[in-house]
PDB file of all heavy atoms in Angstrom:
ATOM      1  N   TYR A 405      46.115  15.988  10.514  1.00 92.00           N
ATOM      2  CA  TYR A 405      46.668  17.319  10.304  1.00 92.00           C
ATOM      3  C   TYR A 405      45.667  18.421  10.619  1.00 92.00           C
ATOM      4  O   TYR A 405      46.042  19.461  11.171  1.00 92.00           O
ATOM      5  CB  TYR A 405      47.195  17.426   8.853  1.00 92.00           C
ATOM      6  CG  TYR A 405      48.124  16.292   8.558  1.00 92.00           C
ATOM      7  CD1 TYR A 405      47.677  15.137   7.921  1.00 92.00           C
ATOM      8  CD2 TYR A 405      49.439  16.314   9.008  1.00 92.00           C
ATOM      9  CE1 TYR A 405      48.509  14.049   7.721  1.00 92.00           C
ATOM     10  CE2 TYR A 405      50.289  15.233   8.811  1.00 92.00           C
ATOM     11  CZ  TYR A 405      49.820  14.109   8.171  1.00 92.00           C
ATOM     12  OH  TYR A 405      50.651  13.030   8.000  1.00 92.00           O
ATOM     13  N   SER A 406      44.390  18.186  10.287  1.00 94.00           N
ATOM     14  CA  SER A 406      43.388  19.217  10.563  1.00 94.00           C
ATOM     15  C   SER A 406      43.195  19.450  12.057  1.00 94.00           C
ATOM     16  O   SER A 406      42.708  20.492  12.472  1.00 94.00           O
ATOM     17  CB  SER A 406      42.046  18.874   9.909  1.00 94.00           C
ATOM     18  OG  SER A 406      41.489  17.691  10.459  1.00 94.00           O
ATOM     19  N   ARG A 407      43.577  18.502  12.908  1.00 92.00           N
ATOM     20  CA  ARG A 407      43.458  18.677  14.365  1.00 92.00           C
ATOM     21  C   ARG A 407      44.373  19.799  14.872  1.00 92.00           C
ATOM     22  O   ARG A 407      44.213  20.272  15.979  1.00 92.00           O
ATOM     23  CB  ARG A 407      43.756  17.377  15.094  1.00 92.00           C
ATOM     24  CG  ARG A 407      45.171  16.850  14.912  1.00 92.00           C
ATOM     25  CD  ARG A 407      45.312  15.433  15.446  1.00 92.00           C
ATOM     26  NE  ARG A 407      46.601  14.871  15.118  1.00 92.00           N
ATOM     27  CZ  ARG A 407      47.467  14.386  16.021  1.00 92.00           C
ATOM     28  NH1 ARG A 407      47.146  14.378  17.305  1.00 92.00           N
ATOM     29  NH2 ARG A 407      48.604  13.876  15.633  1.00 92.00           N
ATOM     30  N   PHE A 408      45.334  20.203  14.047  1.00 92.00           N
ATOM     31  CA  PHE A 408      46.227  21.298  14.424  1.00 92.00           C
ATOM     32  C   PHE A 408      45.746  22.654  13.873  1.00 92.00           C
ATOM     33  O   PHE A 408      46.463  23.642  13.957  1.00 92.00           O
ATOM     34  CB  PHE A 408      47.650  21.046  13.936  1.00 92.00           C
ATOM     35  CG  PHE A 408      48.293  19.815  14.531  1.00 92.00           C
ATOM     36  CD1 PHE A 408      48.573  18.708  13.743  1.00 92.00           C
ATOM     37  CD2 PHE A 408      48.609  19.763  15.881  1.00 92.00           C
ATOM     38  CE1 PHE A 408      49.168  17.578  14.291  1.00 92.00           C
ATOM     39  CE2 PHE A 408      49.203  18.647  16.442  1.00 92.00           C
ATOM     40  CZ  PHE A 408      49.475  17.542  15.647  1.00 92.00           C
ATOM     41  N   SER A 409      44.544  22.695  13.314  1.00 93.00           N
ATOM     42  CA  SER A 409      44.069  23.927  12.670  1.00 93.00           C
ATOM     43  C   SER A 409      43.545  24.920  13.688  1.00 93.00           C
ATOM     44  O   SER A 409      43.072  24.554  14.756  1.00 93.00           O
ATOM     45  CB  SER A 409      42.945  23.594  11.676  1.00 93.00           C
ATOM     46  OG  SER A 409      41.821  23.086  12.354  1.00 93.00           O
ATOM     47  N   ARG A 410      43.589  26.169  13.295  1.00 91.00           N
ATOM     48  CA  ARG A 410      43.054  27.243  14.148  1.00 91.00           C
ATOM     49  C   ARG A 410      41.540  27.309  14.081  1.00 91.00           C
ATOM     50  O   ARG A 410      40.892  27.791  15.004  1.00 91.00           O
ATOM     51  CB  ARG A 410      43.665  28.587  13.721  1.00 91.00           C
ATOM     52  CG  ARG A 410      45.149  28.681  13.998  1.00 91.00           C
ATOM     53  CD  ARG A 410      45.739  29.966  13.440  1.00 91.00           C
ATOM     54  NE  ARG A 410      47.178  30.046  13.668  1.00 91.00           N
ATOM     55  CZ  ARG A 410      47.969  30.957  13.126  1.00 91.00           C
ATOM     56  NH1 ARG A 410      47.436  31.877  12.304  1.00 91.00           N
ATOM     57  NH2 ARG A 410      49.254  30.961  13.381  1.00 91.00           N
ATOM     58  N   SER A 411      40.961  26.866  12.965  1.00 92.00           N
ATOM     59  CA  SER A 411      39.516  26.861  12.824  1.00 92.00           C
ATOM     60  C   SER A 411      39.103  25.826  11.799  1.00 92.00           C
ATOM     61  O   SER A 411      39.914  25.408  10.946  1.00 92.00           O
ATOM     62  CB  SER A 411      38.993  28.240  12.405  1.00 92.00           C
ATOM     63  OG  SER A 411      39.338  28.513  11.056  1.00 92.00           O
ATOM     64  N   SER A 412      37.828  25.410  11.848  1.00 92.00           N
ATOM     65  CA  SER A 412      37.333  24.418  10.886  1.00 92.00           C
ATOM     66  C   SER A 412      37.291  24.961   9.476  1.00 92.00           C
ATOM     67  O   SER A 412      37.571  24.235   8.499  1.00 92.00           O
ATOM     68  CB  SER A 412      35.934  23.944  11.323  1.00 92.00           C
ATOM     69  OG  SER A 412      36.000  23.239  12.524  1.00 92.00           O
ATOM     70  N   SER A 413      36.928  26.230   9.314  1.00 94.00           N
ATOM     71  CA  SER A 413      36.806  26.794   7.967  1.00 94.00           C
ATOM     72  C   SER A 413      38.166  26.864   7.274  1.00 94.00           C
ATOM     73  O   SER A 413      38.270  26.580   6.072  1.00 94.00           O
ATOM     74  CB  SER A 413      36.167  28.179   8.031  1.00 94.00           C
ATOM     75  OG  SER A 413      36.963  29.070   8.781  1.00 94.00           O
ATOM     76  N   THR A 414      39.224  27.239   8.016  1.00 94.00           N
ATOM     77  CA  THR A 414      40.533  27.309   7.382  1.00 94.00           C
ATOM     78  C   THR A 414      41.027  25.921   7.007  1.00 94.00           C
ATOM     79  O   THR A 414      41.651  25.737   5.959  1.00 94.00           O
ATOM     80  CB  THR A 414      41.554  27.991   8.311  1.00 94.00           C
ATOM     81  OG1 THR A 414      41.595  27.275   9.560  1.00 94.00           O
ATOM     82  CG2 THR A 414      41.190  29.425   8.588  1.00 94.00           C
ATOM     83  N   ALA A 415      40.730  24.912   7.846  1.00 94.00           N
ATOM     84  CA  ALA A 415      41.127  23.542   7.523  1.00 94.00           C
ATOM     85  C   ALA A 415      40.387  23.059   6.287  1.00 94.00           C
ATOM     86  O   ALA A 415      40.992  22.443   5.390  1.00 94.00           O
ATOM     87  CB  ALA A 415      40.860  22.627   8.702  1.00 94.00           C
ATOM     88  N   PHE A 416      39.075  23.324   6.221  1.00 96.00           N
ATOM     89  CA  PHE A 416      38.282  22.851   5.084  1.00 96.00           C
ATOM     90  C   PHE A 416      38.752  23.481   3.789  1.00 96.00           C
ATOM     91  O   PHE A 416      39.081  22.775   2.824  1.00 96.00           O
ATOM     92  CB  PHE A 416      36.800  23.161   5.308  1.00 96.00           C
ATOM     93  CG  PHE A 416      35.926  22.751   4.145  1.00 96.00           C
ATOM     94  CD1 PHE A 416      35.385  21.482   4.099  1.00 96.00           C
ATOM     95  CD2 PHE A 416      35.645  23.640   3.100  1.00 96.00           C
ATOM     96  CE1 PHE A 416      34.575  21.082   3.019  1.00 96.00           C
ATOM     97  CE2 PHE A 416      34.847  23.253   2.022  1.00 96.00           C
ATOM     98  CZ  PHE A 416      34.311  21.967   1.983  1.00 96.00           C
ATOM     99  N   TRP A 417      38.774  24.801   3.715  1.00 96.00           N
ATOM    100  CA  TRP A 417      39.090  25.475   2.463  1.00 96.00           C
ATOM    101  C   TRP A 417      40.564  25.347   2.097  1.00 96.00           C
ATOM    102  O   TRP A 417      40.918  25.237   0.899  1.00 96.00           O
ATOM    103  CB  TRP A 417      38.670  26.940   2.519  1.00 96.00           C
ATOM    104  CG  TRP A 417      37.176  27.077   2.462  1.00 96.00           C
ATOM    105  CD1 TRP A 417      36.347  27.497   3.464  1.00 96.00           C
ATOM    106  CD2 TRP A 417      36.336  26.745   1.355  1.00 96.00           C
ATOM    107  NE1 TRP A 417      35.037  27.458   3.049  1.00 96.00           N
ATOM    108  CE2 TRP A 417      34.994  26.997   1.762  1.00 96.00           C
ATOM    109  CE3 TRP A 417      36.565  26.255   0.074  1.00 96.00           C
ATOM    110  CZ2 TRP A 417      33.903  26.776   0.925  1.00 96.00           C
ATOM    111  CZ3 TRP A 417      35.487  26.038  -0.761  1.00 96.00           C
ATOM    112  CH2 TRP A 417      34.176  26.293  -0.344  1.00 96.00           C
ATOM    113  N   GLY A 418      41.447  25.363   3.083  1.00 95.00           N
ATOM    114  CA  GLY A 418      42.861  25.173   2.789  1.00 95.00           C
ATOM    115  C   GLY A 418      43.123  23.803   2.187  1.00 95.00           C
ATOM    116  O   GLY A 418      43.876  23.667   1.223  1.00 95.00           O
ATOM    117  N   THR A 419      42.487  22.790   2.753  1.00 96.00           N
ATOM    118  CA  THR A 419      42.631  21.431   2.232  1.00 96.00           C
ATOM    119  C   THR A 419      42.030  21.312   0.842  1.00 96.00           C
ATOM    120  O   THR A 419      42.666  20.784  -0.084  1.00 96.00           O
ATOM    121  CB  THR A 419      41.936  20.425   3.184  1.00 96.00           C
ATOM    122  OG1 THR A 419      42.544  20.512   4.480  1.00 96.00           O
ATOM    123  CG2 THR A 419      42.058  19.007   2.659  1.00 96.00           C
TER     124      THR A 419
END
Side-chain angles (χ1 to χ4, degrees):
Y405 307 96
S406 64
R407 63 190 173 125
F408 297 113
S409 65
R410 293 174 182 170
S411 71
S412 293
S413 61
T414 56
F416 177 89
W417 288 111
T419 301

